[in-house]
Amino acid sequence: MYRTTLFSLSLLILFTLAGCQPADDAATAGDGADLVLLNGKIETVTNGVVEALAAEGGRIVAVGTRDDVEKHIGASTEVIDLGGRLAIPGFIDSHGHFMGVGDARIQLNLRETESWDDVVARVAEAAAQAEPGEWIRGRGWPQDKWTAVPAPNVEGFPIHDSLSAVSPENPVLLTHASGHALFANAKAMELAGVDDATPDPEGGEILRDGNGRATGLFRENAEGLIHRARPAEGTPAEMRKMVELASQECLQKGVTSFHDAGSSFATVDFLKQAADEGFLGVRLWIMIRAPEDELREKLPAYFTRDYADHRLAVGGVKISLDGALGSRGAWLLEPYSDSPESTGLNTASLDMTRRVAELAVEDGYQLCIHAIGDRANREVLDVYEDTFEAHPEKSDLRFRIEHAQHLHPDDIPRFAELGVIAAMQGVHCTSDGPWVPDRLGDKRSEEGAYVWQKLLQSGAKVTNGTDAPVEDVNPLKSFYSTVTRRMTNGELFYPDQKMSRMEALRSYTIDAAYAAFEEDLKGSLDVGKLADVVVLSKDVLTVPDEEILDAKVDYTIVGGKVAYRAE
Ligand SMILES: [Zn+2]
C-alpha cells in the first residue's frame, strides 16, 4: 500500500554533473566552509544530537552548537537553515543492484500489474511501438499478488501462448518480482534455441506443463538459456543511461552510498569511468560477481578502498548459493510447507564456494554470499567457520551473508560468534510476509524469518537495504518496515523482531558502513568524515509510525555539496 510512483514531477531534481564531481576545491582561508547547516536536529548517530554542522573540502569540519559552527561561515559558504528539521547521515543501502535500478526505469515496470492479462496488454502496447526483432523487456511481475490466478496455469504461473500471440515479431523477456525467474515468449525461446526438448540445466528449471511443453517460465540457472540470446550488459549508451537514472533516483530518495551486490569486472570498469567523468552521483561499494577462473585472475588488481575520492570502492565478492522464497528457489533444511516434494535449489557448488572463500581471504576481499533458505545459510556459515579457522592470523574479515532471511534457530547465534554480517532488507519482510507462512509454516516463520532482534541481541551486525530494483530503493519505506513489520496487507509480521528507530537508523548508516570497512569514513556525522547528509521533512525518529512514510527528502548532500533539493 505504500508504493508510490518512482518520480514525482513536482520535485526539482538538482542532480547535475557538476554536483557530483569529486571535491577538490577546499575553500581557501577566509572563504569559510563550503556548506553550513544551522538550527537543526542533527542526529550524529555516534555522538548524540547537535544543532549545526560545517563541511569543507568534502568532509565534516565542525559539529556542535550554532556558536561552534557559525565561525566557519565565509563569503562563499552556502548556509542552510534547517528550521528544526532532522538531519541524519546519508542512507547507505547495503544491498542493491545499481545498474539494475537504472535498467528497471528503462524496462516495462510490471510491479503493479494486477493479472496476467494486464501483463499481456502492456507487452502488446510495447510491441505495437517496437521495431521487429527489438527486445521488449519488463520486470517485477508478482503472480502471488495478482487478483486472479492465470488460466491456464502451471503451479500458478501462466503459459506463454497469450503473450506470444501479441508479440510474434519481438522477443520478450519478463523478470519475476523476486529476480529469480523469468518469463519468455515464443520468439525469445526460438532465438535462444530453447524448445520442449531442452533439458533443465543444473540448478535451474524450465517449468513444463503436463505434456512436457515449456510454459515460458525459466527458474534460477535456467534463466541463462534465454539471456544467452541477448548481450548481457547492454550498449555503452544504455549503460550510461542506467548510471544516470540510478544516481538520480538514489539521490532523490536520500541514498548517498550504495553496496552493489554483484557486478562483472567489465561493469566495474564502466563505473570507474562514470566516477572519473562525474556522472556517478552516489558512492558505490561493489561486490564482484564473476566465474571462478576470472576471479582468480583479476581480483588482486581490482581491490580498492578509495577510487575517485571515495566515489567508488571494490571490496566484495558475490556468490549466490540459493534462490528466493517466492519462486520456491530458497534452499531449505526441510521441504516447503506448500510443496512437500521440494526443498528449493542449490545454485552454486560448495566446493567452488570454499575455493572462492580462500581467494577472498588471500586478496583482502569480503565474501558476500546470497543465502535465503535455512539450509543455504547453514552451509555458508559452515564454509565461513572453516575458512576462518584455517586463517587464525586474520581476525577481522567481515564476511557477509546477503539476505540471511530464514534461519534455523541453532544458526542465529553463529553470526555474532563468527563475526559474520547479516546484510538484510527490512522491506522484504513486509512485502513477502503475507505468504512466508504458506511456504514455511508458522513455526519456521516465527523462529527464523527476518529475526532482526534475535541477531542484534546475540551481538551480530545487521544492515539494511532494499535489493533494488527488486524493491523500491526508498530507504524510508524500508525504515518503516523495519520499525513496524507492518505488511502490505496491514497485519504485523511477528512484531517482536522489529527494530527501534535508532537501531533501524544504525542499520542504514554506521552498521552499513562497518559492513564495508568504511566506518571511519561514513555512517555518522563526526568531524573528519565525508559530509554525506540527508535532511528530512519529518522527524522519523519520533513521529508516530503512520507518519514515517509522509516524510520527504528535502536535501541530499554528498561530499558537502547539495546533490538533490526538493522544490
Ligand atoms: Zn540482490
Side-chain angles (χ1 to χ4, degrees):
M1 295 315 108
Y2 47 81
R3 292 189 197 280
T4 54
T5 50
L6 291 182
F7 267 66
S8 162
L9 293 175
S10 67
L11 297 175
L12 173 66
I13 293 160
L14 281 184
F15 169 63
T16 62
L17 298 190
C20 44
Q21 293 287 4
D24 57 0
D25 52 351
T28 52
D31 286 351
D34 301 320
L35 180 74
V36 164
L37 306 179
L38 294 176
N39 191 26
K41 176 189 171 185
I42 301 176
E43 173 57 66
T44 65
V45 174
T46 42
N47 284 305
V49 173
V50 295
E51 62 178 352
L53 175 152
E56 193 173 330
R59 302 272 181 157
I60 297 169
V61 293
V63 290
T65 63
R66 191 182 185 111
D67 283 352
D68 296 332
V69 172
E70 252 176 354
K71 55 180 173 273
H72 292 269
I73 298 176
S76 61
T77 304
E78 176 173 11
V79 180
I80 297 175
D81 184 338
L82 297 180
R85 280 173 296 182
L86 178 70
I88 54 176
F91 286 108
I92 301 173
D93 190 310
S94 58
H95 183 115
H97 301 273
F98 190 70
M99 298 300 269
V101 172
D103 195 32
R105 306 234 3 256
I106 297 169
Q107 296 186 42
L108 296 178
N109 179 2
L110 304 176
R111 279 185 206 173
E112 312 289 334
T113 51
E114 287 177 353
S115 64
W116 174 239
D117 291 347
D118 192 2
V119 171
V120 171
R122 292 187 199 204
V123 170
E125 204 177 302
Q129 290 163 20
E131 299 291 326
E134 199 179 307
W135 282 83
I136 294 168
R137 294 179 304 133
R139 66 166 297 132
W141 57 277
Q143 96 287 351
D144 297 277
K145 295 174 187 161
W146 286 341
T147 49
V149 179
N153 75 78
V154 175
E155 292 182 23
F157 292 103
I159 293 173
H160 74 83
D161 305 85
S162 52
L163 180 74
S164 300
V166 300
S167 52
E169 303 295 335
N170 297 92
V172 176
L173 189 167
L174 309 176
T175 309
H176 187 257
S178 67
H180 290 270
L182 66 76
F183 204 89
N185 71 345
K187 189 74 182 173
M189 288 189 270
E190 178 198 319
L191 289 176
V194 172
D195 59 27
D196 300 340
T198 306
D200 289 350
E202 200 177 324
E205 184 189 9
I206 303 170
L207 188 68
R208 297 164 211 265
D209 68 12
N211 300 319
R213 189 168 167 259
T215 58
L217 187 86
F218 294 76
R219 276 189 177 128
E220 303 296 345
N221 290 351
E223 293 179 63
L225 297 172
I226 299 298
H227 283 307
R228 71 188 178 192
R230 185 185 172 274
E233 272 135 4
T235 65
E238 281 173 343
M239 289 174 83
R240 180 172 179 126
K241 193 94 195 141
M242 289 176 204
V243 172
E244 289 174 345
L245 289 171
S247 296
Q248 271 184 2
E249 189 167 343
C250 286
L251 292 173
Q252 191 191 30
K253 293 175 177 175
V255 174
T256 57
S257 284
F258 190 103
H259 295 181
D260 179 63
S263 282
S264 66
F265 287 103
T267 300
V268 171
D269 291 341
F270 185 84
L271 290 166
K272 282 181 170 173
Q273 191 190 327
D276 290 336
E277 294 178 14
F279 65 90
L280 175 60
V282 298
R283 304 183 196 279
L284 290 183
W285 181 86
I286 301 173
M287 309 169 206
I288 302 259
R289 187 206 293 266
E292 183 184 355
D293 290 351
E294 209 185 339
L295 290 173
R296 194 171 296 281
E297 182 195 331
K298 294 183 179 167
L299 279 182
Y302 273 76
F303 182 84
T304 175
R305 286 251 160 89
D306 175 18
Y307 188 85
D309 194 26
H310 298 291
R311 191 58 62 166
L312 185 148
V314 182
V317 176
K318 173 81 184 292
I319 294 173
S320 290
L321 208 61
D322 69 347
L325 194 74
S327 50
R328 298 190 188 86
W331 191 18
L332 303 182
L333 290 162
E334 301 292 334
Y336 279 84
S337 298
D338 58 359
S339 181
E341 311 78 50
S342 172
T343 52
L345 293 167
N346 169 213
T347 56
S349 100
L350 290 167
D351 286 345
M352 181 278 288
T353 301
R354 286 176 187 276
R355 290 193 300 270
V356 173
E358 275 300 312
L359 265 187
V361 172
E362 266 169 44
D363 297 331
Y365 286 80
Q366 292 163 261
L367 189 53
C368 309
I369 301 186
H370 163 122
I372 289 186
D374 51 10
R375 173 79 189 270
N377 275 280
R378 175 167 294 173
E379 296 288 354
V380 176
L381 289 164
D382 289 349
V383 170
Y384 286 0
E385 186 167 3
D386 293 347
T387 305
F388 299 164
E389 271 172 15
H391 293 278
E393 77 286 3
K394 312 257 184 182
S395 58
D396 192 15
L397 292 166
R398 304 192 196 180
F399 279 15
R400 307 171 29 146
I401 297 187
E402 305 303 313
H403 308 304
Q405 226 159 267
H406 306 293
L407 305 176
H408 188 281
D410 293 349
D411 292 322
I412 295 170
R414 298 177 70 196
F415 284 78
E417 283 161 21
L418 295 169
V420 171
I421 291 155
M424 304 178 74
Q425 297 75 36
V427 66
H428 277 347
C429 169
T430 56
S431 23
D432 297 355
W435 46 258
V436 165
D438 297 343
R439 298 281 189 276
L440 299 179
D442 288 333
K443 183 167 183 285
R444 276 189 293 189
S445 301
E446 179 166 15
E447 285 178 349
Y450 314 93
V451 284
W452 305 322
Q453 273 309 331
K454 290 178 187 172
L455 286 162
L456 287 172
Q457 279 161 23
S458 72
K461 295 271 191 214
V462 179
T463 68
N464 214 324
T466 58
D467 205 6
V470 175
E471 303 273 5
D472 183 338
V473 76
N474 187 345
L476 291 171
K477 289 185 183 177
S478 198
F479 181 88
Y480 172 79
S481 298
T482 305
V483 301
T484 63
R485 291 173 75 103
R486 187 173 294 284
M487 297 183 280
T488 44
N489 65 5
E491 290 168 23
L492 301 180
F493 188 82
Y494 305 103
D496 63 318
Q497 292 301 306
K498 72 185 181 190
M499 291 193 203
S500 70
R501 305 283 177 102
M502 278 308 289
E503 285 167 342
L505 183 62
R506 292 179 64 89
S507 74
Y508 245 119
T509 55
I510 193 69
D511 291 345
Y514 176 90
F517 282 101
E518 293 184 327
E519 70 274 19
D520 293 334
L521 268 182
K522 298 175 182 173
S524 67
L525 300 177
D526 294 313
V527 170
K529 286 198 172 180
L530 295 169
D532 297 350
V533 187
V534 171
V535 178
L536 299 173
S537 66
K538 290 207 171 210
D539 182 350
V540 297
L541 299 176
T542 57
V543 293
D545 286 348
E546 57 277 12
E547 287 182 37
I548 292 172
L549 293 174
D550 298 337
K552 299 272 181 292
V553 173
D554 282 345
Y555 295 92
T556 302
I557 295 158
V558 180
K561 290 182 175 161
V562 176
Y564 165 79
R565 185 189 315 246
E567 205 167 45

